[in-house]
Amino acid sequence: MRILHTSDWHLGRQFYNQSLLDDQRLVLHQLIGQIEALKVDVVIVAGDIYDRSVPPAAAVDLLSWVVDEICHRLGVPLIAISGNHDGPERLAFAAKQLAAGGLHIVGPLWQEPVRILLSDRAGTQVAFYPIPYADPLTVRYQHGVDVTCHDEAMAYLLEKIKQVRDDSVPAVAIAHCFLAGGEASESERPLAIGGVECVAPERFAAFSYTALGHLHGQQYRHKETIRYSGTPLKYSFSEERHRKSFTLVDIDSQGQVEIQMIPLFPQRDMRTIEGELNAILAAGKEDPAAADYVQIRLNDRHAILDVMNKLRAVYPNVLHLERPGLISQNSVVAARDNLHRGALQMFEDFFQQVTDQPLNAEQRAVVADELKKLQEGEG
């Protein structure tokens, strides 16, 4: 059986107030094309389908189109679980009825384990055991057990699955959690504080494959078959070195697994550009990827007027600007010294930095007069 493992779509996400919906649509087009070309038998989305529990209408429309393409046009079953960003009840609307059409959604945590038994074209059967995101409080309340951390909660749920599992059929676990030792990114929402969110990866060792969601970088823990697929797009500048992909998993009737990483190519990359303004502007005019989402680290040590508009003239999708050149010990000392200087002298310095010219006598007189009015309460 050929399985496509993906996760953390975060449909409807915004980054620095920039909607990523068009970028998500393009990469999902690629995903659907690969499902068809590679003759995939089952698609897994391991949580965080939406970016928030009440998603925008456009994100719901996009998911509706994806589901129709996969389940209806291609006839490929899709298994999806809720993540910590999803609203489990909303996500699971009409889940029992949709299962008949090949869409298997597990939103709220189950009382008894859910087993989804599917067959490929050759008749190979694989049992899928979805475990939607559930914090220890939810497990404790719903199952009446004394669990105090994510690891204990997951151990309890996996034990429930073990009691009903048929060992003669290869089994795939689907979960949304933070495995101990996992490499996090800035774009992930913490599940807890102080390490109590961590789940021991060894708990999944008995499964032929474990399809995980939550961590945004592609990685595995304990062994190669316990794996995060990562996000299909970069969602923070901390991910700029990631190579986004989905995971293609082939499982035979004996539970033997082969894994491939299939790359995805975004409409716009996400990267950091560092240097002085003039050099960045000159390079931007010749940059074939100038439409990328970028953050700029500007090394100039002087104030610059209207810097964002200057940058966006060559890099239209500048999302964030840093000025490390202005943050130095000398700058801190200068700022402290400015407290002891007069307002007119400080304005003269500012004017000099912005225009690269000193105030002339007439300008100085006008500014001095306005400052006097302000000090006397007439301004």
Side-chain angles (χ1 to χ4, degrees):
M1 179 176 288
R2 175 159 284 185
I3 301 165
L4 186 150
H5 167 203
T6 181
S7 74
D8 296 271
W9 291 359
H10 289 279
L11 298 182
R13 192 178 187 95
Q14 292 193 342
F15 186 54
Y16 287 102
N17 295 319
Q18 170 70 45
S19 172
L20 299 177
L21 205 63
D22 288 341
D23 303 83
Q24 292 170 330
R25 183 177 291 106
L26 183 140
V27 80
L28 289 174
H29 267 282
Q30 291 182 37
L31 192 75
I32 290 166
Q34 293 283 19
I35 292 169
E36 188 169 17
L38 297 171
K39 301 187 185 307
V40 169
D41 296 303
V42 180
V43 175
I44 292 172
V45 188
D48 283 354
I49 296 166
Y50 293 122
D51 192 54
R52 55 182 187 263
S53 60
V54 183
V60 177
D61 287 343
L62 180 55
L63 180 62
S64 178
W65 170 79
V66 171
V67 167
D68 186 63
E69 286 288 298
I70 295 173
C71 296
H72 182 250
R73 185 175 72 83
L74 299 180
V76 175
L78 188 155
I79 304 172
I81 64 171
S82 62
N84 58 300
H85 280 251
D86 297 309
E89 288 79 12
R90 290 184 177 87
L91 189 66
F93 170 75
K96 291 182 180 179
Q97 291 74 24
L98 293 171
L103 176 59
H104 305 270
I105 297 179
V106 182
L109 178 63
W110 33 256
Q111 192 65 39
E112 296 298 329
V114 174
R115 176 176 181 258
I116 302 168
L117 186 64
L118 298 174
S119 302
D120 64 9
R121 299 172 183 85
T124 300
Q125 287 189 323
V126 175
F128 297 85
Y129 294 94
I131 308 171
Y133 172 72
D135 58 26
L137 180 62
T138 300
V139 176
R140 188 162 64 245
Y141 173 78
Q142 186 164 325
H143 289 267
V145 293
D146 184 19
V147 294
T148 59
C149 65
H150 284 256
D151 186 54
E152 292 177 359
M154 185 62 72
Y156 172 80
L157 297 174
L158 290 171
E159 180 61 29
K160 294 274 287 184
I161 290 173
K162 182 180 178 181
Q163 293 171 6
V164 299
R165 180 179 159 187
D166 180 357
D167 291 335
S168 67
V169 178
V172 172
I174 308 169
H176 194 90
C177 61
F178 192 121
L179 291 190
E183 297 177 8
S185 304
E186 292 177 0
S187 55
E188 297 144 3
R189 181 188 298 167
L191 302 180
I193 298 173
V196 296
E197 65 183 359
C198 292
V199 173
E202 296 84 358
R203 297 202 181 280
F204 296 97
F207 293 90
S208 297
Y209 183 78
T210 300
L212 295 168
H214 180 59
L215 294 184
H216 289 184
Q218 182 273 124
Q219 58 195 282
Y220 64 87
R221 288 290 171 267
H222 184 57
K223 59 181 184 176
E224 290 191 8
T225 55
I226 303 173
R227 180 175 290 270
Y228 290 96
S229 66
T231 55
L233 287 172
K234 300 175 183 179
Y235 288 137
S236 72
F237 288 113
S238 70
E239 301 171 49
E240 62 180 279
R241 297 187 183 278
H242 289 189
R243 295 294 176 261
K244 296 302 183 180
S245 60
F246 62 84
T247 309
L248 195 67
V249 184
D250 289 296
I251 301 181
D252 66 18
S253 59
Q254 303 305 309
Q256 297 301 305
V257 174
E258 293 184 4
I259 296 171
Q260 302 177 59
M261 308 310 300
I262 308 298
L264 292 165
F265 302 97
Q267 180 179 8
R268 304 175 186 89
D269 202 357
M270 194 171 286
R271 56 195 174 106
T272 299
I273 299 172
E274 184 168 0
E276 295 190 348
L277 179 63
N278 289 338
I280 291 173
L281 295 179
K285 292 175 182 178
E286 307 297 329
D287 191 339
D292 284 350
Y293 295 123
V294 299
Q295 72 170 348
I296 303 290
R297 288 202 181 103
L298 210 56
N299 292 333
D300 299 78
R301 292 182 175 275
H302 59 279
I304 301 172
L305 187 65
D306 202 22
V307 62
M308 284 297 279
N309 282 334
K310 287 183 171 71
L311 289 168
R312 284 177 174 155
V314 292
Y315 288 107
N317 293 311
V318 175
L319 300 183
H320 183 59
L321 173 66
E322 295 180 354
R323 298 293 310 272
L326 293 180
I327 305 173
S328 65
Q329 184 176 0
N330 290 338
S331 299
V332 173
V333 172
R336 191 185 305 121
D337 290 344
N338 282 338
L339 295 175
H340 304 288
R341 303 170 68 195
L344 180 58
Q345 188 176 359
M346 291 174 63
F347 186 86
E348 285 181 313
D349 291 346
F350 172 75
F351 189 86
Q352 174 80 35
Q353 290 176 357
V354 171
T355 66
D356 204 25
Q357 294 180 355
L359 282 172
N360 60 37
E362 183 180 355
Q363 291 169 329
R364 192 177 193 282
V366 170
V367 173
D369 184 55
E370 291 300 319
L371 288 172
K372 183 180 178 181
K373 290 179 182 178
L374 288 170
Q375 290 170 352
E376 294 174 351
E378 297 176 6

